Amino acid sequence: MKNQDHGTLLADCQSEQDHRRIRIDRVGVKGLRHPIEVRDRSFATQSTVATVSLLVDLPHHFKGTHMSRFVEVLNAHGRLIHVKNLFSIVHALQKRLDAEVAHLIMEFPYFLEKRAPATGAEGLVDYQVRFEAAAYRTETDFVMTAVVPVTTLCPCSKAISDRGAHNQRGYVTASIRSSEPIWIEELIEIVESSASSPIYSLLKRPDEKFVTEQAFDHPVFVEDLVRNVAVRLNAHCDVLWYRVEAENMESIHNHAAYALVEKHSGDNGGG
Amino acid sequence: MKNQDHGTLLADCQSEQDHRRIRIDRVGVKGLRHPIEVRDRSFATQSTVATVSLLVDLPHHFKGTHMSRFVEVLNAHGRLIHVKNLFSIVHALQKRLDAEVAHLIMEFPYFLEKRAPATGAEGLVDYQVRFEAAAYRTETDFVMTAVVPVTTLCPCSKAISDRGAHNQRGYVTASIRSSEPIWIEELIEIVESSASSPIYSLLKRPDEKFVTEQAFDHPVFVEDLVRNVAVRLNAHCDVLWYRVEAENMESIHNHAAYALVEKHSGDNGGG
Amino acid sequence: MKNQDHGTLLADCQSEQDHRRIRIDRVGVKGLRHPIEVRDRSFATQSTVATVSLLVDLPHHFKGTHMSRFVEVLNAHGRLIHVKNLFSIVHALQKRLDAEVAHLIMEFPYFLEKRAPATGAEGLVDYQVRFEAAAYRTETDFVMTAVVPVTTLCPCSKAISDRGAHNQRGYVTASIRSSEPIWIEELIEIVESSASSPIYSLLKRPDEKFVTEQAFDHPVFVEDLVRNVAVRLNAHCDVLWYRVEAENMESIHNHAAYALVEKHSGDNGGG
Amino acid sequence: MKNQDHGTLLADCQSEQDHRRIRIDRVGVKGLRHPIEVRDRSFATQSTVATVSLLVDLPHHFKGTHMSRFVEVLNAHGRLIHVKNLFSIVHALQKRLDAEVAHLIMEFPYFLEKRAPATGAEGLVDYQVRFEAAAYRTETDFVMTAVVPVTTLCPCSKAISDRGAHNQRGYVTASIRSSEPIWIEELIEIVESSASSPIYSLLKRPDEKFVTEQAFDHPVFVEDLVRNVAVRLNAHCDVLWYRVEAENMESIHNHAAYALVEKHSGDNGGG
C-alpha cells in the first residue's frame, strides 16, 4: 500500500478557516446506494437496497466537511436497520463530523406478502419506504413515510354514468411521527383500507372479480382518500403528526389528480 | 477575446491515428436540449422543446470525432423542423464529420387541441413524439414514433364482474416507416381509435359520463390494443413498417401489462 | 353534440357535504403539460413547454373540488407567462374554486444564448426554471427557482495532487423571493459566477483550454459554491429570501456531494 | 373466502379465438419488483431487488395471454438467481403459457466491495446489472449487461491546457454473450481498467491523490473507452458478442458525449 502514510502530510483544505461567515444548514452525501436489512413484522428481517443521504450542519468558520467520514460512519454500522438503531448512525455522524445537527435519510423498496382476496393466492407487493432520522444536539426526530399504490374509483364517474366508472392506480404518500414505533405494515394497512381497493401482484379470475366489485362499491376521490387516511391516523393513539398526499394517475387524463392533508401542530387532526 | 487565434496552434488529438483497428458504430452528443418548431396539421407550426442526439460512425483509423461540430451543425440549421428538412441536418453531419453514416434523433412533447366528446370543450393534450432520421451514404431512413396515452378497460374484468370493470391509463408507443410523410396527428388518431377511449385534458361532467360509458363499451386487453393498431396500419397504403407497444399502468397491480407487435419484412402485416 | 345539456341533470358529487371535518391543505391537478411563452431579457419572449400544478385549499364541509375548472382557468389565461400575470391565474383559481388559498407551480426549460469564452461561438444552454405563485386570501407570494448546471473542481484534489484535479458537472438549485422582479438571467449569472466555471453547449478548442484553466484556477467545494451564491444574494438589494442547494455528480464516486444554505427570517444572510 | 370456486365458472376471455390474424411478438408483465439473491464471486450470494419483465409470444388465434401465470411462474421459482437456473424460469414460462418464445429480463443493483487504491479502505460500489434470458423453442440465449460508472479525463483538454483537464463521471453499458458464464465482477473489471480511473465509494486523502493523478495520466475520449473495452473483449476467449456504450456526463457541457461499438457477427472484433 503505497502512500499509506501520506494522510498526515497531505493538506487538509476542509479544516481551513472560512471567512464568509455563512453557516451551512446541510452538507454531506446523497444518492449512495447501500444494501440493508430491515426489521419486518412477519419474517423478522428482509433484505433490500437503500438510497441513502447523510447530512450535517457546518458552522460558519469551517471551510468544508469531510465527505469520506459520512461513508465510514455508514459502513461501520453494519447492515441491519431498525428504527432504534438508526439513531446510532445519526449520533455517530454528530460526533465524527463535530456537528450539532445530523440527518439520515434512507429510501428503499419494501415487500409484503399478500393473499389474493378470493383465492388466497400469495404474491409480493412492493412499497417505497423512507426513514428520516435527525438529531438536533440531544433532541431526536423520526419520520416514517410509505408510498402505497392503491386502486381509486371515481365517485362522480360512477354516479353520472349508466355503466362502469373510471378507475386507476393512485399513489398515497403517508408520512408520520409517532410516540411509539409503528410497523411499516400498519401504516400500509391504514392506507389500503382507505382506498377503493388495495392492489395485488397476483390475482386469479375470482380475485379480479372481487377487487373489481370492491372498487366499484367503494368509490373515492383523492380528497376522500387523504381524509380517510387522516381520520384513521387521528384515531391512532401513537400518531403525533402526519402528512398524507394522494396522486391519481387518472385513466381519462394525461395528468394527475392530487390532494394533500397535514396535521398541523395544535390541530385536532388535519382540520 | 484572448486566445482567439489559438485554434490553429492547439493540438488536435481527435485527428490523430488510432491503431486499435476498431470502427465505432455511433459517436456523438446526446441529451442536448433545443427549442424547435414542428409543422402541425392545424396551425402550420407549433413551438416545443426537443432532446436531441446527433451521431455518426467513425472509421477505425481516427482516434476521435469533433464533438463541437455536431452542435454547430444543429445550430446552423435553424429551429423549423419538418420531416423533409431533417435530412439537411443529417447530410450536413455526414459532410462536416466526414462520416458515412449519420443519425439525428429528436424527442419532444407535441400538443393537440382536442374537443371534449359531449360538450365540445377545448383542451390541449400532450404526446411524446420522436423523429429518427438517418443516412447511410446516400440512402436515408426515417422513423416516426408517437407515445399516445389512452384509456384501456379490461375485457376479463368486465365479463366476470357483476358491476364495473378495472380500467387505467395505458401508453401506446407506435413507430412507423412510410412511403409518404404521415402527419403525427394521423398516427395519434389511429392509436386513439384502437383503445377503449382517447384521453382528454378537459372533461366536463357530460364528457366524463361519455368517456366512462365509451370505455365500458369498448374493452381491450393490451393484446387487442396493439392488434387494433396493427390492423389499421396494415390497411394504410403508405405504411411500410411498424412496431407497436402497449403498456398499461394496471389499476389493480403495481406492475404493467405489456404487448408488442412488429411488422416484419415480408410480413403480410405483423402476422 | 349529444348530452350537451346533461350538465344540469348529472349529479354533482363534489358539491355534496362532507362530514369528516377535515380541511384539505392542497387539492388540484399535477403534471399537466402546457406550451407557454416566457418573457426573457434578450428577445422579449421565448417559447417553451411547462409542467404545471394548480392547487387550492378545500374547506372541511365540501366533499370535493371540481378538477376540470383548474384546467379551464389555465386555458382561459393564454400562453404568455410573466411574473406579473401569474397572479391573474392564481386569483382566478381562488375565485373559480371558491378557495382562500391557491397555488400555481410551473416548471420549464429555459434557454440562454451564450458566447464561448475565447472564440465567442454562440450556443444555447438550457436551464430548468420553476415559478411558484400563491395567494393566501389577499396576500401573494412568489418564489423563482433556477437549476443551473456548472463545473466544479475540487480544492482538496488540486491541493494534494501533483497534477490535475477531479472536477464534474454540478447542479445548483437556487430559489429566491424578491421585493422587485429579478430576471431569470440575473439569477443564473449569480450562480455561474460562483462556480469553478460556467458550462456551455458549444466550445471550440481555444474555449476548452479557457474553461479547463479557469476551472483549475477557481476550485470550489459544494460548500464554497452555496456560500458564494449566498454572499452574492445577501448583497443583492432586492433579494428577501433564498435557499441554495448544490449537488455535484462527483467524478470519482457514484454518489453526489451536497450542500444547502437557506436565509432564515431574521438572518443577516444564511449565517 | 367467498368466490373460492368461481374459477371454473367465470368466463375465460383470454382463451377465446381471435380473428385479426395478427401474431403478437411479446406479451406479458413489466416493472414487477422482486427481491432476489444473486451468486457473487466473493460471498457466494448477495441479496438485492430486481425489476422484472416476463414475456412470451402469442399465436394469432388466441385473444389474450394469462397475465397472472407469469407472476405464478416467478413466485414458484424461489429467490436464488443464477445464470443456470434462469432458464428454468424461461422454460416454465414456455410450458405454462403454451408459448414458443419466452423472455426473462431482470435488472438489479449489484454491489462490489472495493479497496481504496492507496489506503485500502473498504467501501461498497453499486453497479446496475441486467440479465436477459430467452428461449426460442429449444434454443436459448443469454445476454449479461453491466452499467459501470467510471472516471473519464479528456485527452484534448489535457493536451491543450497549461494546467488541469476536464474530467467527469461516465457510464459504460457493456453487454455480452459468452460461451461460458462470465462473472459480473470480471465484466466490471474489464470496463474499469479501460477508463481513466475506476470510481470508489470511500476515498481518504491519499486515495483521492492517487485517483486524481491516475486519471490525469490515463486520459480517454468516449471513443477510447469503448475501444479499450472492445479490445479486451475481443481478446477474451469466451466472449462471443458484445455491445459497448459509453456516456460521459461532460463537466463542461449540459449534454453527454456518447459512443457505441458492437461486435457484428462475422466481425473480427467490432472492426
Side-chain angles (χ1 to χ4, degrees):
Chain A
M1 288 296 120
K2 40 197 153 159
N3 288 327
Q4 190 75 273
D5 49 6
H6 268 207
T8 48
L9 307 169
L10 296 172
D12 180 0
C13 297
Q14 288 88 345
S15 300
E16 286 172 16
Q17 281 260 315
D18 197 275
H19 302 286
R20 281 161 293 195
R21 305 202 56 75
I22 294 180
R23 177 185 173 277
I24 292 187
D25 297 83
R26 294 190 180 201
V27 58
V29 301
K30 270 191 133 173
L32 190 68
R33 290 220 279 184
H34 203 74
I36 61 170
E37 290 176 25
V38 186
R39 292 269 316 261
D40 77 20
R41 201 170 57 180
S42 313
F43 297 100
T45 65
Q46 64 172 263
S47 296
T48 184
V49 173
T51 302
V52 181
S53 296
L54 300 158
L55 303 161
V56 297
D57 65 331
L58 185 72
H60 69 82
H61 51 273
F62 284 125
K63 182 169 167 61
T65 192
H66 289 84
M67 294 290 181
S68 65
R69 294 182 191 171
F70 292 85
V71 181
E72 286 175 322
V73 165
L74 182 66
N75 289 350
H77 177 78
R79 293 188 186 174
L80 185 63
I81 297 298
H82 184 244
V83 174
K84 278 167 192 162
N85 66 21
L86 282 177
F87 288 106
S88 71
I89 301 179
V90 175
H91 291 312
L93 281 177
Q94 284 180 303
K95 199 171 165 191
R96 188 87 168 81
L97 276 306
D98 215 351
E100 292 195 341
V101 184
H103 301 267
L104 166 65
I105 304 165
M106 289 198 156
E107 281 195 59
F108 50 90
Y110 186 81
F111 293 88
L112 291 196
E113 196 154 307
K114 287 171 80 172
R115 289 183 167 277
T119 65
E122 287 186 5
L124 290 170
V125 177
D126 64 300
Y127 303 86
Q128 199 67 13
V129 173
R130 185 166 66 234
F131 285 168
E132 294 173 86
Y136 307 86
R137 292 184 198 168
T138 56
E139 271 178 73
T140 59
D141 183 41
F142 178 67
V143 174
M144 180 170 83
T145 299
V147 182
V148 182
V150 294
T151 306
T152 60
L153 186 137
C154 179
C156 172
S157 171
K158 178 182 171 182
I160 63 181
S161 303
D162 293 337
R163 52 201 177 280
H166 80 79
N167 52 76
Q168 54 268 319
R169 198 191 302 162
Y171 290 97
V172 176
T173 303
S175 300
I176 56 168
R177 287 191 176 91
S178 58
S179 52
E180 294 297 317
I182 288 180
W183 286 106
I184 299 170
E185 288 82 349
E186 192 178 351
L187 181 58
I188 290 170
E189 286 161 5
I190 286 172
V191 173
E192 293 189 336
S193 59
S194 301
S196 297
S197 170
I199 64 97
Y200 300 86
S201 65
L202 178 56
L203 293 171
K204 303 303 291 179
R205 270 202 301 281
D207 304 308
E208 189 168 351
K209 173 181 167 62
F210 185 97
V211 297
T212 300
E213 294 171 0
Q214 183 180 45
F216 196 79
D217 295 340
H218 298 86
V220 291
F221 289 125
V222 276
E223 295 94 322
D224 293 313
L225 185 44
V226 295
R227 278 173 168 154
N228 288 346
V229 176
V231 165
R232 282 171 172 80
L233 293 175
N234 283 339
H236 194 297
C237 303
D238 298 331
V239 173
L240 303 172
W241 169 89
Y242 58 78
R243 184 177 53 231
V244 181
E245 296 170 89
E247 191 161 351
N248 271 356
M249 324 285 279
E250 296 285 289
S251 64
I252 59 173
H253 296 304
N254 202 20
H255 58 259
Y258 173 85
L260 176 154
V261 62
E262 182 170 347
K263 176 165 179 165
H264 303 283
S265 56
D267 270 15
N268 184 16
Chain B
M1 290 294 119
K2 38 198 155 154
N3 288 329
Q4 192 74 274
D5 49 7
H6 270 207
T8 48
L9 306 170
L10 296 173
D12 180 359
C13 298
Q14 288 88 345
S15 300
E16 288 171 15
Q17 281 260 316
D18 198 274
H19 303 286
R20 281 162 292 196
R21 307 201 56 75
I22 294 180
R23 177 186 174 276
I24 292 187
D25 298 82
R26 294 190 178 200
V27 59
V29 301
K30 270 192 132 170
L32 191 67
R33 291 219 278 184
H34 204 72
I36 61 169
E37 289 176 27
V38 186
R39 292 270 316 262
D40 76 21
R41 201 170 56 181
S42 314
F43 298 98
T45 66
Q46 64 172 264
S47 296
T48 185
V49 173
T51 302
V52 181
S53 297
L54 300 158
L55 304 162
V56 298
D57 66 330
L58 185 72
H60 70 81
H61 52 273
F62 284 125
K63 180 168 168 62
T65 192
H66 290 82
M67 294 289 180
S68 65
R69 295 181 189 173
F70 293 85
V71 181
E72 286 175 321
V73 165
L74 182 65
N75 289 349
H77 177 78
R79 293 188 187 175
L80 186 63
I81 297 299
H82 184 245
V83 173
K84 277 166 192 164
N85 66 21
L86 281 177
F87 287 107
S88 72
I89 301 179
V90 175
H91 291 313
L93 281 178
Q94 285 180 304
K95 198 169 166 191
R96 187 88 166 81
L97 276 306
D98 215 352
E100 294 195 340
V101 184
H103 303 266
L104 166 65
I105 305 165
M106 291 199 155
E107 279 196 61
F108 50 89
Y110 186 81
F111 292 88
L112 291 196
E113 198 155 303
K114 287 171 79 173
R115 288 182 167 279
T119 65
E122 286 187 6
L124 289 170
V125 177
D126 63 301
Y127 303 85
Q128 199 66 14
V129 172
R130 186 167 63 234
F131 284 170
E132 294 172 86
Y136 307 85
R137 295 184 195 168
T138 57
E139 271 177 74
T140 59
D141 183 41
F142 178 68
V143 175
M144 181 170 81
T145 300
V147 182
V148 183
V150 294
T151 307
T152 59
L153 186 137
C154 178
C156 171
S157 171
K158 177 182 171 181
I160 63 180
S161 303
D162 293 337
R163 52 202 177 278
H166 81 80
N167 53 77
Q168 53 267 318
R169 198 189 302 159
Y171 290 98
V172 176
T173 303
S175 300
I176 56 169
R177 286 191 176 91
S178 57
S179 52
E180 293 298 316
I182 288 180
W183 287 106
I184 299 171
E185 288 81 349
E186 191 178 351
L187 181 56
I188 290 171
E189 287 161 5
I190 286 171
V191 172
E192 293 189 336
S193 59
S194 302
S196 297
S197 171
I199 64 97
Y200 300 86
S201 66
L202 179 55
L203 293 171
K204 303 303 293 178
R205 269 202 301 282
D207 304 308
E208 189 169 350
K209 174 182 166 61
F210 186 97
V211 297
T212 300
E213 294 170 0
Q214 184 181 45
F216 196 79
D217 296 341
H218 298 85
V220 290
F221 290 125
V222 278
E223 295 93 321
D224 293 313
L225 185 44
V226 296
R227 277 173 168 155
N228 287 347
V229 177
V231 165
R232 281 169 172 83
L233 294 175
N234 283 340
H236 194 298
C237 302
D238 297 331
V239 173
L240 302 173
W241 169 89
Y242 58 78
R243 185 178 51 232
V244 182
E245 296 170 89
E247 191 161 351
N248 271 356
M249 324 283 280
E250 297 285 288
S251 63
I252 59 172
H253 297 304
N254 202 20
H255 58 259
Y258 173 87
L260 177 155
V261 63
E262 181 169 349
K263 176 164 178 166
H264 303 283
S265 57
D267 269 13
N268 184 18
Chain C
M1 289 296 119
K2 40 197 152 155
N3 289 328
Q4 191 76 273
D5 49 6
H6 268 208
T8 47
L9 307 171
L10 296 173
D12 180 359
C13 298
Q14 288 89 345
S15 300
E16 288 170 14
Q17 280 260 314
D18 198 274
H19 303 286
R20 279 161 295 194
R21 305 202 56 75
I22 295 180
R23 177 187 174 274
I24 292 186
D25 297 83
R26 295 189 179 202
V27 58
V29 302
K30 270 192 132 171
L32 190 67
R33 292 219 278 185
H34 204 72
I36 60 170
E37 290 176 26
V38 186
R39 293 266 319 260
D40 78 18
R41 202 171 56 181
S42 314
F43 297 100
T45 65
Q46 64 173 264
S47 295
T48 184
V49 174
T51 302
V52 181
S53 296
L54 301 158
L55 303 162
V56 297
D57 65 331
L58 185 73
H60 70 82
H61 52 272
F62 283 127
K63 181 168 167 63
T65 193
H66 290 83
M67 294 290 180
S68 65
R69 296 183 188 171
F70 293 85
V71 181
E72 286 175 321
V73 166
L74 182 67
N75 289 350
H77 177 77
R79 294 188 187 176
L80 186 63
I81 297 298
H82 183 245
V83 173
K84 277 166 192 161
N85 64 21
L86 282 178
F87 288 106
S88 71
I89 301 179
V90 175
H91 291 313
L93 281 177
Q94 284 179 303
K95 199 171 163 190
R96 188 87 167 81
L97 277 307
D98 214 352
E100 294 195 340
V101 184
H103 302 266
L104 165 65
I105 305 165
M106 289 199 156
E107 281 196 58
F108 50 89
Y110 187 81
F111 292 88
L112 292 195
E113 195 153 306
K114 287 171 79 172
R115 287 182 168 281
T119 65
E122 287 185 5
L124 291 170
V125 177
D126 63 301
Y127 302 86
Q128 199 67 13
V129 173
R130 186 167 63 234
F131 285 169
E132 294 171 86
Y136 306 86
R137 295 184 194 168
T138 58
E139 272 178 72
T140 59
D141 183 41
F142 178 66
V143 174
M144 180 170 81
T145 300
V147 182
V148 182
V150 295
T151 307
T152 60
L153 185 136
C154 179
C156 172
S157 171
K158 177 183 172 182
I160 62 180
S161 303
D162 293 337
R163 52 202 176 277
H166 80 80
N167 52 77
Q168 53 269 318
R169 199 189 302 160
Y171 291 97
V172 177
T173 303
S175 300
I176 56 169
R177 288 191 176 90
S178 57
S179 52
E180 293 297 316
I182 288 179
W183 286 106
I184 300 171
E185 288 81 350
E186 191 179 351
L187 181 57
I188 290 171
E189 286 160 8
I190 285 172
V191 171
E192 292 189 336
S193 60
S194 302
S196 297
S197 171
I199 65 96
Y200 300 87
S201 67
L202 179 54
L203 293 170
K204 303 301 294 178
R205 270 201 301 281
D207 304 307
E208 187 168 353
K209 174 181 167 61
F210 186 96
V211 297
T212 301
E213 294 171 1
Q214 184 180 45
F216 196 78
D217 296 342
H218 298 85
V220 291
F221 289 126
V222 277
E223 295 94 321
D224 293 312
L225 185 45
V226 295
R227 277 173 167 153
N228 288 347
V229 176
V231 165
R232 282 170 172 82
L233 293 176
N234 283 340
H236 194 296
C237 302
D238 298 331
V239 173
L240 303 172
W241 169 88
Y242 58 79
R243 184 178 52 231
V244 181
E245 296 170 87
E247 191 160 352
N248 271 356
M249 322 285 280
E250 298 285 289
S251 64
I252 60 172
H253 297 303
N254 201 21
H255 58 259
Y258 174 85
L260 176 154
V261 63
E262 181 169 346
K263 177 164 177 164
H264 303 284
S265 56
D267 270 13
N268 185 17
Chain D
M1 291 291 121
K2 39 197 154 161
N3 288 327
Q4 193 74 272
D5 48 7
H6 270 205
T8 46
L9 307 171
L10 298 172
D12 180 0
C13 297
Q14 288 88 345
S15 300
E16 288 171 14
Q17 280 260 316
D18 197 273
H19 303 286
R20 281 161 294 196
R21 304 202 56 75
I22 294 180
R23 178 186 172 275
I24 293 186
D25 297 84
R26 293 191 181 200
V27 59
V29 300
K30 269 193 134 172
L32 190 67
R33 292 220 277 185
H34 204 73
I36 62 169
E37 290 176 26
V38 186
R39 291 271 317 260
D40 77 20
R41 200 171 57 180
S42 312
F43 297 100
T45 66
Q46 64 172 265
S47 295
T48 185
V49 174
T51 301
V52 181
S53 297
L54 300 158
L55 303 161
V56 298
D57 65 330
L58 185 71
H60 70 81
H61 51 272
F62 285 123
K63 180 168 168 61
T65 191
H66 290 82
M67 295 290 181
S68 65
R69 296 182 188 171
F70 292 84
V71 181
E72 286 175 321
V73 165
L74 182 66
N75 289 350
H77 177 77
R79 294 187 186 176
L80 186 64
I81 297 298
H82 184 246
V83 173
K84 277 167 192 163
N85 65 23
L86 282 177
F87 288 106
S88 71
I89 301 179
V90 175
H91 291 312
L93 281 177
Q94 284 179 304
K95 199 171 164 192
R96 187 87 166 82
L97 276 308
D98 214 349
E100 292 195 341
V101 184
H103 301 268
L104 165 64
I105 305 166
M106 289 199 155
E107 279 195 61
F108 50 89
Y110 186 80
F111 292 88
L112 291 196
E113 197 153 306
K114 286 171 79 173
R115 289 182 165 278
T119 66
E122 288 186 4
L124 290 170
V125 177
D126 63 300
Y127 303 86
Q128 198 68 12
V129 173
R130 186 167 62 235
F131 285 168
E132 294 172 85
Y136 307 85
R137 294 184 194 169
T138 58
E139 270 178 74
T140 60
D141 184 40
F142 178 68
V143 175
M144 180 171 81
T145 299
V147 182
V148 182
V150 294
T151 306
T152 59
L153 186 136
C154 178
C156 171
S157 171
K158 178 182 172 182
I160 64 181
S161 304
D162 293 337
R163 51 202 178 279
H166 81 80
N167 52 76
Q168 54 268 317
R169 199 189 302 161
Y171 290 97
V172 176
T173 303
S175 300
I176 56 168
R177 287 192 175 90
S178 58
S179 53
E180 294 297 316
I182 288 179
W183 286 106
I184 299 171
E185 288 82 351
E186 191 178 352
L187 181 58
I188 290 171
E189 287 161 5
I190 286 172
V191 172
E192 293 188 337
S193 60
S194 301
S196 297
S197 170
I199 63 97
Y200 299 86
S201 65
L202 178 55
L203 293 171
K204 304 302 294 179
R205 271 202 300 283
D207 304 308
E208 188 167 353
K209 175 181 165 63
F210 186 97
V211 296
T212 301
E213 295 171 359
Q214 184 180 44
F216 196 79
D217 296 341
H218 298 85
V220 292
F221 290 126
V222 277
E223 295 94 321
D224 293 312
L225 186 44
V226 296
R227 277 171 167 156
N228 288 347
V229 176
V231 165
R232 282 170 173 82
L233 293 175
N234 283 340
H236 194 298
C237 303
D238 298 331
V239 173
L240 302 173
W241 169 88
Y242 58 79
R243 183 177 54 230
V244 181
E245 296 170 89
E247 191 160 351
N248 271 356
M249 323 283 280
E250 296 286 288
S251 64
I252 60 172
H253 297 304
N254 201 20
H255 58 258
Y258 173 85
L260 176 154
V261 62
E262 182 170 346
K263 176 163 178 166
H264 303 283
S265 56
D267 270 14
N268 183 18

